[in-house]
């Protein structure tokens, strides 16, 4: 007996499943806010050296501000004032002849910086002077956060396969909220860095657990719809971030704003069911039957209790014989699992590296930073609707390959488009963001369908870890534009194309039932496993029950 047969008796997609997705939506839309808030929280506004220390009383008395700056701060090649250098002594002769200003020795800012607060009232850069020689610390805040996400992916992936989806989801909710609020009230950069690491660690469970929990409760026909709704939670958060950042331009209150919805998620957690698949896989058939009864009742399938008894669920083939605790090592113990883990790990790395590389680069396109973020978020709507249409038309694998290659092509084109063609660069970058978003939408569903129930969370934990390696590297790769301006684009293009080509090597999962055991993956797929569920033979429930009774079991 297969779980899909039991699920069909409860209605594989009804009010019960809609309730699950609605509740998890509350927390999922906070994820992109935390993942991309560095675009605003760590923004570096225009700045220059503070020159108050140069004023000895009367020296600047009769000078305008522009004249004071002329004699105190050197100019750059483009004619703008240096952001990080100043003259040790006022150079009053520059008021009459500034042609030899570049020959005058300058020193790093001695008395701090003055910031332009037109766009942001406070950021990490202005709070702790993370500019000039310290700008790498400012950029590192994103990497620190995503290192926490990497570690969290491994931990939550393993623990949710061992202790259940529901309990670990609550841990993720609470940890994300507590550490998120703590980071907003950090009193030093060191404390902030630690809290951001722990925030990333905590909220990772929301991403990988809620997706699997939703998929394990729906039938084959609606899995792509669930994947779409989950991804739209991300898009909604992306759109909301641009508005919240525009309205709340103090970084501390912005972090509080994007973290607060987790309080509602915690309050609504009690109505989230445990995964019946996981319960059956771990021998808890009574609890599984209880949740299935609730599902059937909410979906108005009253006949469920008559057809399916707790004893019936023990016939469902989920585990290999004998009790076993599954770990990440089970992803690589057998040949086909090992090959699949290698491929998906590299693909997730390439997808995340490309997506966040584009997402973090929201300046230099001639548009307002908030407008660029909004445009990047808006393009995800048509791209995800297109994915929804194509997933069952051409399959998961073809959509993944096409989306990744499309992102790579856009990155390649923008490498050659002159920077003064800001409009064209913006349009191409937005299309590339749409393609990378489509690849991310597809890979969550694709991966969940590839791996068996017994290690599904472990697989998402491992792949999410690989993705966060890519995310952690992305901000650092963007800094390479100081070496050669097109270099970051070229590296991201290569990553997207490589991931797209490797995705061609994965098996198609369109119309297939979810594999339950590692044996389902390793065996040469027999007809029952490989056929779509609609074509699989019906397994009558009553003969199974009668057979158990006759045997005295």
């Amino acid at each position: 007996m297969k779980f899909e047969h039991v699920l069909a008796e409860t209605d594989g997609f009804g009010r019960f499943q809609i309730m699950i997705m609605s509740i998890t939506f509350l927390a999922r839309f906070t994820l992109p806010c935390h993942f991309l808030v560095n675009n605003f929280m760590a923004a570096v506004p225009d700045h220059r050296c503070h020159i108050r220390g140069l004023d000895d009383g009367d020296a600047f008395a009769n000078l305008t501000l522009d004249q004071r700056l002329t004699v105190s701060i050197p100019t750059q090649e483009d004619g703008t004032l240096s952001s990080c250098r100043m003259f040790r002594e006022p150079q009053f002769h520059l008021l009459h002849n500034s042609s030899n200003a570049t020959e005058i020795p300058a020193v790093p800012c001695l008395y701090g910086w003055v910031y332009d607060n037109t766009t942001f009232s406070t950021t990490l850069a202005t709070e702790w002077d993370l500019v000039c020689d310290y700008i790498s610390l400012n950029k590192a805040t994103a990497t620190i956060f995503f290192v926490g996400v990497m570690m969290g992916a491994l931990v939550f992936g393993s623990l949710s396969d061992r202790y259940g989806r529901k309990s670990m989801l609550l841990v993720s909710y609470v940890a994300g909220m507590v550490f998120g609020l703590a980071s907003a009230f950090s009193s030093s950069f060191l404390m902030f860095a630690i809290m951001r690491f722990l925030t990333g660690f905590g909220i990772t469970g929301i991403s990988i657990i809620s997706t699997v929990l939703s998929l394990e409760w729906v039938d084959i026909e609606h899995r792509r719809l669930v994947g779409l709704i989950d991804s739209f939670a991300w898009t909604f958060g992306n759109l909301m971030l641009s508005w919240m950042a525009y309205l709340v331009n103090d970084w501390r209150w912005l972090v509080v704003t994007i973290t607060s919805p987790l309080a509602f998620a915690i309050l609504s957690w009690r109505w989230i069911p445990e995964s019946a698949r996981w319960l059956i896989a771990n021998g808890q058939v009574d609890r599984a039957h209880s949740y299935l009864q609730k599902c059937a009742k909410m979906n108005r399938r009253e006949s469920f209790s008559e057809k399916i008894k707790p004893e019936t669920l023990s016939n469902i083939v989920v585990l290999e014989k004998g009790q076993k605790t599954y770990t990440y090592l089970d992803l690589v113990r057998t040949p086909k699992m090992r090959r699949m883990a290698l491929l998906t790990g590299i693909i997730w790395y390439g997808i995340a590296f490309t997506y966040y590389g584009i997402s973090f680069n929201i300046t230099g396109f001639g548009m307002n930073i908030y407008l660029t973020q909004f445009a990047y978020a808006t393009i995800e709507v048509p791209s995800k609707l297109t994915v929804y249409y194509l997933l069952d038309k051409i399959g998961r694998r073809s959509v993944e390959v096409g989306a990744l290659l499309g992102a790579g092509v856009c990155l390649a084109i923008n490498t050659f488009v002159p920077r003064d063609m800001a409009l064209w660069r913006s349009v191409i970058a937005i299309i590339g963001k749409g393609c990378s978003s489509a690849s991310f939408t597809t890979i969550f569903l694709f991966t969940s369908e590839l791996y068996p129930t017994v290690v599904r969370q472990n697989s998402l934990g491992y792949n999410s870890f690989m993705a966060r390696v890519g995310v952690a590297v992305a901000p650092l790769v963007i800094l390479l534009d100081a070496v050669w301006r097109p270099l970051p684009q070229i590296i991201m293009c290569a990553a997207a194309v490589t991931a797209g080509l490797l995705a061609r090597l994965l098996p198609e999962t369109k119309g297939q039932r979810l594999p339950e055991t590692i044996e389902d993956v390793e065996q040469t797929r027999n007809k029952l496993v490989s056929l779509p569920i609609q074509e699989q033979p019906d397994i009558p429930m009553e003969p199974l029950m009668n057979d158990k009774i006759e045997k005295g079991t």
Side-chain angles (χ1 to χ4, degrees):
M1 187 189 303
K2 304 301 178 185
F3 183 81
E4 278 75 9
H5 294 101
V6 176
L7 191 62
E9 294 294 332
T10 70
D11 185 355
F13 190 82
R15 292 191 297 175
F16 187 81
Q17 285 77 10
I18 294 173
M19 176 197 70
I20 295 173
M21 290 184 291
S22 299
I23 294 174
T24 56
F25 187 95
L26 289 172
R28 285 189 64 83
F29 96 87
T30 65
L31 293 174
C33 297
H34 274 287
F35 280 39
L36 299 174
V37 71
N38 248 59
N39 284 338
F40 306 98
M41 179 177 65
V44 180
D46 292 337
H47 55 280
R48 60 169 174 82
C49 295
H50 202 306
I51 61 173
R52 181 178 299 173
L54 294 178
D55 190 354
D56 58 4
D58 298 327
F60 287 169
N62 297 321
L63 300 181
T64 64
L65 177 60
D66 287 343
Q67 290 174 327
R68 294 182 185 186
L69 295 177
T70 298
V71 302
S72 304
I73 300 177
T75 57
Q76 302 177 106
E77 293 181 0
D78 60 1
T80 59
L81 294 175
S82 172
S83 300
C84 303
R85 309 286 287 179
M86 63 180 291
F87 299 127
R88 188 177 293 275
E89 301 291 340
Q91 306 295 316
F92 292 106
H93 66 279
L94 295 178
L95 294 173
H96 308 290
N97 181 14
S98 60
S99 60
N100 62 346
T102 56
E103 301 177 2
I104 303 172
V107 297
C109 298
L110 299 174
Y111 311 106
W113 289 264
V114 175
Y115 299 96
D116 179 3
N117 295 325
T118 304
T119 304
F120 306 99
S121 61
T122 64
T123 67
L124 299 179
T126 64
E127 180 88 12
W128 290 299
D129 286 334
L130 303 180
V131 294
C132 300
D133 292 341
Y134 301 100
I135 195 169
S136 59
L137 290 178
N138 190 44
K139 295 293 184 181
T141 54
T143 299
I144 291 169
F145 172 80
F146 285 110
V147 170
V149 173
M150 288 164 48
M151 298 298 105
L154 290 177
V155 172
F156 280 102
S158 176
L159 293 182
S160 58
D161 266 345
R162 180 173 298 185
Y163 299 110
R165 291 24 170 166
K166 182 175 180 177
S167 58
M168 297 314 300
L169 192 59
L170 178 62
V171 173
S172 185
Y173 285 168
V174 174
M177 183 171 180
V178 169
F179 294 125
L181 294 177
S183 66
F185 297 102
S186 299
S187 57
S188 66
F189 177 75
L190 178 60
M191 177 182 175
F192 172 80
I194 295 173
M195 291 300 105
R196 282 299 285 171
F197 172 86
L198 294 174
T199 302
F201 183 94
I203 67 173
T204 307
I206 300 173
S207 174
I208 63 176
I209 297 174
S210 58
T211 297
V212 167
L213 184 61
S214 297
L215 285 175
E216 290 183 341
W217 268 108
V218 300
D219 55 25
I220 290 176
E221 291 79 5
H222 294 92
R223 286 208 301 254
R224 66 186 179 119
L225 178 60
V226 171
L228 179 72
I229 294 173
D230 274 353
S231 67
F232 266 128
W234 181 279
T235 301
F236 177 74
N238 242 336
L239 290 167
M240 290 299 296
L241 176 61
S242 59
W243 285 103
M244 288 188 288
Y246 178 76
L247 296 173
V248 184
N249 57 15
D250 178 278
W251 77 267
R252 292 182 185 272
W253 288 110
L254 178 58
V255 174
V256 172
T257 302
I258 64 177
T259 304
S260 298
L262 287 178
F264 298 101
I266 293 172
L267 293 176
S268 61
W269 169 84
R270 59 177 295 187
W271 289 290
I272 296 177
E274 181 56 271
S275 167
R277 287 181 186 269
W278 180 85
L279 289 171
I280 295 171
N282 286 270
Q284 302 181 45
V285 292
D286 289 331
R287 285 188 64 198
H289 187 263
S290 175
Y291 280 119
L292 287 166
Q293 278 186 312
K294 292 178 181 178
C295 177
K297 183 177 181 181
M298 186 173 290
N299 291 345
R300 299 177 180 176
R301 291 294 185 92
E302 302 296 340
S303 61
F304 172 82
S305 297
E306 300 175 2
K307 294 183 178 180
I308 308 295
K309 303 296 182 183
E311 295 83 1
T312 312
L313 300 181
S314 62
N315 287 288
I316 295 177
V317 181
V318 178
L319 284 173
E320 289 89 344
K321 299 298 182 181
Q323 294 296 318
K324 179 180 177 181
T325 299
Y326 290 85
T327 68
Y328 288 108
L329 291 177
D330 290 291
L331 299 178
V332 295
R333 288 187 195 277
T334 52
K336 290 186 179 179
M337 288 288 293
R338 184 162 52 245
R339 178 178 182 273
M340 191 161 64
L342 176 63
L343 290 174
T344 58
I346 298 174
I347 293 167
W348 274 70
Y349 174 91
I351 291 172
F353 178 74
T354 304
Y355 179 88
Y356 285 96
I358 297 173
S359 299
F360 290 148
N361 188 22
I362 62 174
T363 60
F365 294 107
M367 290 196 303
N368 177 281
I369 187 174
Y370 303 108
L371 182 59
T372 304
Q373 173 67 29
F374 185 79
Y376 272 2
T378 302
I379 192 61
E380 293 188 4
V381 177
S383 74
K384 290 177 179 180
L385 290 175
T386 303
V387 165
Y388 177 73
Y389 174 77
L390 293 177
L391 280 175
D392 277 355
K393 292 293 182 181
I394 64 175
R396 279 66 160 153
R397 180 175 57 193
S398 297
V399 172
E400 190 64 69
V401 173
L404 283 166
L405 294 182
V409 168
C410 290
L411 287 164
I413 293 174
N414 248 0
T415 303
F416 299 101
V417 177
R419 297 190 70 82
D420 56 355
M421 299 177 65
L423 178 60
W424 284 106
R425 286 179 57 82
S426 298
V427 171
I428 295 168
I430 291 169
I431 295 173
K433 175 65 187 303
C435 290
S436 66
S437 174
S439 69
F440 232 137
T441 302
T442 305
I443 198 61
F444 266 98
L445 175 63
F446 196 11
T447 303
S448 297
E449 292 178 339
L450 283 170
Y451 285 91
T453 298
V454 292
V455 291
R456 187 167 292 124
Q457 283 287 187
N458 275 327
S459 70
L460 275 186
Y462 153 72
N463 284 293
S464 183
F465 172 85
M466 293 299 296
R468 304 319 163 193
V469 173
V471 180
V473 171
L476 305 180
V477 170
I478 293 174
L479 293 176
L480 294 177
D481 64 355
V483 178
W484 184 37
R485 192 176 292 276
L487 186 56
Q489 295 272 99
I490 293 173
I491 295 175
M492 286 187 283
C493 174
V497 171
T498 301
L501 295 177
L502 289 177
R504 287 177 54 85
L505 303 178
L506 292 173
E508 181 55 69
T509 61
K510 183 183 73 171
Q512 306 295 319
R513 70 172 179 84
L514 292 180
E516 304 291 359
T517 69
I518 292 176
E519 288 179 352
D520 284 347
V521 175
E522 288 300 323
Q523 66 187 354
T524 302
R525 293 191 170 234
N526 58 44
K527 294 181 179 180
L528 182 61
V529 174
S530 61
L531 284 175
I533 190 68
Q534 298 92 331
E535 299 178 22
Q536 293 181 20
D538 291 330
I539 299 179
M541 304 296 179
E542 292 303 322
L544 284 169
M545 285 299 300
N546 294 335
D547 183 59
K548 291 175 67 70
I549 293 172
E550 290 173 4
K551 293 179 180 179
T553 58

